[in-house]
Amino acid sequence: MSSMIPRRLGVCFNAVAATARPAMLHQTLRRTFSTSPAVLSHIGKQALPFGSDVAMTHDQTPILTPRVAADLHSTTLHIKGPLGEHVLPIKPYVNLAFEQEQGDSLLTVSVQDPGIKEQRAMWGTTRALIANAITGVTDGYTVPIRLVGVGYRATIEGGKKLSMKLGYSHPVDIEIPEGIQCMTPLPNKIMLQGNDIQKVKEFAFKIRKWRPPEPYNQKGIFVGDETIAKKTSKKK
């Protein structure tokens, strides 16, 4: 008789849990929906300072024949500095305000309705793209590349072609894109410089794909401060 009591209690507990489960599920679903106001962009709301050697011009004319469909009806921001010029498309709901504070120039980015997800996402993105462009036309970007491997070498041929020996039966030749300076201070080191961080890193990883770093011998082409954890080979 005593051995039947736990079973009955277990059945009762299971029945109670089964009846309580829908209520708990309803509370869980209800908690996933938040009624709190949308959080402002922590990056987008920060004012962006720039020096007197940077000139910005915001053309309010809508783009009617865009290079990509996403830029339709966008405006254009021209950023010019000592190292070149950038042209950025600005979404129509993004507002740019230029101010002067204690001799410094400030740019404030805002959107029409921060409650809309798309506008809130583009708020911080637009501010980050403008900041990258300002750094590009003033200081520029430098990306170092290391060639790690026996016999790995790189040279510049004619100032327009990067030639690398990477263990293949033939050298690997890559055309250097316009706007990017490529140097080889050491036979196994490449330095890329440019005012567009996207183009510089895109070219760097185009070089890297010829010999991606491998973990067993830790050889390959490393971009920047890239490292790879060493793996031990399986022993039979």
Side-chain angles (χ1 to χ4, degrees), residues 16-112:
V16 172
T19 56
R21 201 168 295 158
M24 294 173 61
L25 181 61
H26 177 68
Q27 292 180 0
T28 304
L29 292 175
R30 187 171 57 185
R31 288 174 186 170
T32 57
F33 297 96
S34 175
T35 58
S36 60
V39 180
L40 298 179
S41 174
H42 296 290
I43 297 177
K45 66 182 180 182
Q46 298 178 5
L48 187 60
F50 58 95
S52 58
D53 55 345
V54 177
M56 290 195 192
T57 306
H58 188 199
D59 187 359
Q60 301 285 349
T61 305
I63 301 176
L64 301 180
T65 56
R67 184 175 59 88
V68 294
D71 295 339
L72 183 64
H73 301 305
S74 297
T75 57
T76 307
L77 178 64
H78 297 266
I79 304 174
K80 190 174 183 179
L83 299 182
E85 182 178 1
H86 283 290
V87 180
L88 298 179
I90 305 298
K91 294 292 184 179
Y93 48 76
V94 175
N95 302 319
L96 303 179
F98 297 92
E99 302 175 358
Q100 291 285 338
E101 183 175 329
Q102 298 179 353
D104 296 332
S105 300
L106 296 176
L107 171 62
T108 304
V109 182
S110 61
V111 293
Q112 296 177 359

Side-chain angles (χ1 to χ4, degrees), residues 120-140:
R120 193 166 62 250
M122 288 302 300
W123 189 359
T125 301
T126 302
R127 197 264 184 196
L129 291 175
I130 296 175
N132 290 341
I134 293 175
T135 304
V137 298
T138 53
D139 301 328

